[in-house]
Amino acid sequence: MQTILVTGGCGYIGAHTIVDLIQNGFDVVSVDNLSRSSAHSLEGIEKITGKKIKNYVIDLTNKAATEQIFIDHPTITGIIHFAAYKAVGESVEKPLDYYENNLFSLIHLLQLAVKYHAKHFIFSSSCTVYGNPDHIPVTELTELKTAASPYGATKQMGETMVQDSTVAHPLSSILLRYFNPVGAHPSIAIGELPIGRPQNLVPAITQTAIGKLPKMQVYGNDYDTRDGSCIRDYIHVCDIAHAHTLAMQYSIKNNKVNHCEIFNLGTGNGITVLEAIKAFEKVAGITLNYEIGPKRPGDIVAIYANNDYAVKKLGWTCKYDLDEMMRTAWEWEKSLAK
Ligand code: WQD
């Protein structure tokens, strides 16, 4: 039995990945201190898979408490590390909280992965490591620019820590650079649970549409793009989740050590903010109440992925299109209102 430890397993991408791992025959243990997530996700996972997942409510910056998980579960052969703070704006206000939480957690996990031979280590990274790229779409070889926020810096530093640990120790690691994960599981049993006012575009759209927010702002429409609004690569969270299962299977099958690979997880399609809003309005049959506001500091103008490497090496394909992203996001928002 191969047990995979999923950190941040009660979070948005973590919960969707646990569902996919279970459906592909893996045994899963979660650790999540519920500081930015809810145990409600575990009920959703059980509803979809029929499996009750053990979640350790432990802070990964507490190394001794984290080590107990490896003592309790000697069959842990792989780790998928999602748990981290991820709000760009908050990271600018509280950089030390971000460095302490995101980096100390990772250091402890890497030390324990080495000590307990959990050699397959998948790190949740982000397209934010590219900064403002000179050329798009970006490939895994695109030069990394200075991170636009302390959050982005923790992802860049995290990638370096994983790579250096993989050189020094018998680890097989994979860095997955997500673009913009959106949408919800088709069962609508799990989805995104933003805390407070949503920072990200799609939850802002769905909360405005359902009336939780009176209006939303498009942060700038005079950028140098086809309609003046920023371009991003929106990708369904289930496509992101399945890529983690494929990456873990790929690492186990190759059975290498001192080996690290990087994959872009994006659809390869760049969509503007206004196009995303139009897609939502079409799917939901609603006219969204938005206004054009000032640009948001730190926003990059345009980024989307070249995902050829993940498609070729992992045998990964994106199954959900923009309409399905918006439909499931909307169905999930409506389910929360019930
Ligand atoms: C997308 C576009 C906004 C809200 C960040 C992180 C990334 C990942 C996802 C963690 C931008 C515009 C947004 C709104 C708007 N985070 N927007 N009105 O900034 O691309 O990526 O979140 O994993 O690492 O960098 O995502 O959804 O915040 O913004 O106009 O109310 O939507 O200006 O152009 P972003 P986002």
Side-chain angles (χ1 to χ4, degrees), residues 130 137-144 177 262-264 306 309:
Y130 293 110
V138 292
T139 74
E140 291 81 359
L141 300 177
T142 295
E143 180 202 356
L144 305 190
R177 291 175 178 165
I262 302 174
F263 295 102
N264 280 342
N306 173 317
Y309 193 55

Side-chain angles (χ1 to χ4, degrees), residues 3 16 33 50 83 97 111 121 139 192 213 221 253 256 320:
T3 302
H16 285 83
N33 68 357
D97 290 1
Q111 289 169 328
F121 195 99
T139 74
E192 193 168 6
L213 295 174
N221 71 342
K253 178 167 149 288
K256 292 179 180 170
Y320 298 84

Side-chain angles (χ1 to χ4, degrees), residues 13 86-88 125-128 151 155 178-181 197-205 216-220 223 229-232 234 273 296 299-301 303:
I13 307 175
K86 58 146 231 164
V88 172
S125 190
S126 164
C127 61
T128 202
Y151 158 73
K155 289 302 180 185
Y178 315 150
F179 284 70
N180 287 58
R197 186 183 168 79
Q199 297 303 305
N200 295 133
L201 177 65
V202 172
I205 288 174
M216 70 166 278
Q217 289 205 333
V218 170
Y219 298 140
Y223 284 99
S229 63
C230 293
I231 291 174
R232 294 289 185 278
Y234 299 99
V273 174
R296 180 170 69 174
D299 267 344
I300 61 167
V301 183
I303 188 165

Side-chain angles (χ1 to χ4, degrees), residues 166-239:
T166 303
V167 169
H169 301 286
L171 296 173
S172 166
S173 58
I174 292 179
L175 311 178
L176 296 180
R177 291 175 178 165
Y178 315 150
F179 284 70
N180 287 58
V182 297
H185 190 272
S187 67
I188 313 300
I190 50 177
E192 193 168 6
L193 287 168
I195 297 165
R197 186 183 168 79
Q199 297 303 305
N200 295 133
L201 177 65
V202 172
I205 288 174
T206 58
Q207 287 195 15
T208 302
I210 203 136
K212 273 176 89 171
L213 295 174
K215 181 187 286 189
M216 70 166 278
Q217 289 205 333
V218 170
Y219 298 140
N221 71 342
D222 54 354
Y223 284 99
D224 181 16
T225 64
R226 54 182 177 266
D227 66 12
S229 63
C230 293
I231 291 174
R232 294 289 185 278
D233 186 331
Y234 299 99
I235 177 168
H236 197 282
V237 64
C238 289
D239 281 327

